[in-house]
Amino acid sequence: MWHPDRAASASTRPCDNPFRAQRLDALRYAEDGVVVDEVVEKLRQKCYRGALVGPHGTGKTTLLREVGDRLIGEGLSPMPLFINSDERGTLPRHWRSAIRMAGHGDALLLDGYDLLPLWARAWVLHASRGASAVVVTSHRRCVWKTVAKTTSSPAVLRRLVSELTEEDDAALIDCDALWHKHQGNLRDALRELYDRH
């Protein structure tokens, strides 16, 4: 999901912080109207090509990971590709080489497709034809058919906080206010909780 690079407060070591990146990365997708099995079925119907679409911080990356895990059961080998913040607006070299190498049995999982420039999106569309599956994340509709629209809610944030903390600690966090403060961006809400701890 995200990787905070700030030191934790003096009272808490980073490894004790319940909201540290390693714990967040281990979370399962918090279904909020999107069922992973249904997403995989839609992909199957669309020849394993599609987009996971939704606003910032609503679980697209986490859903992409879970879809990738399910595609293994479909006999495919996931090839996850992510864009770092310093790679936005370019076509990363590692994307080019991986997409060129992808062939029968490979499932390209492209996180941040809409962050590519237009020419790079066109190149990916053309160059990925050899792969058996292509699943992208995007903040808005794109050339790939939408197979899931991610959203968030205070209830989802509450569930995530409950999974990460002790029951007494979770009760002290006003998830509704935090969700509204970050306009539904779960990533930013969890980042704030990391900074608080």
Side-chain angles (χ1 to χ4, degrees), residues 135-150:
V135 186
V136 305
T137 65
S138 180
H139 295 112
R140 57 190 169 278
R141 289 182 56 182
C142 61
V143 67
W144 306 95
K145 298 285 185 190
T146 301
V147 293
K149 291 182 181 178
T150 60

Side-chain angles (χ1 to χ4, degrees), residues 45-122:
Q45 293 169 6
K46 297 186 182 317
C47 299
Y48 294 101
R49 277 158 168 69
L52 310 177
V53 178
H56 290 279
T58 56
K60 294 182 301 298
T61 300
T62 306
L63 178 57
L64 183 67
R65 284 190 197 119
E66 290 218 17
V67 166
D69 289 346
R70 302 290 174 90
L71 291 179
I72 293 171
E74 304 278 315
L76 300 170
S77 299
M79 295 177 66
L81 298 171
F82 302 90
I83 288 187
N84 298 324
S85 57
D86 58 336
E87 296 173 325
R88 292 178 183 189
T90 67
L91 178 59
R93 188 172 299 181
H94 68 281
W95 278 49
R96 280 182 286 207
S97 58
I99 291 169
R100 282 188 187 120
M101 290 183 345
H104 181 71
D106 292 322
L108 290 168
L109 307 176
L110 310 177
D111 190 31
Y113 174 77
D114 62 327
L115 302 176
L116 299 172
L118 187 57
W119 67 265
R121 283 181 260 158

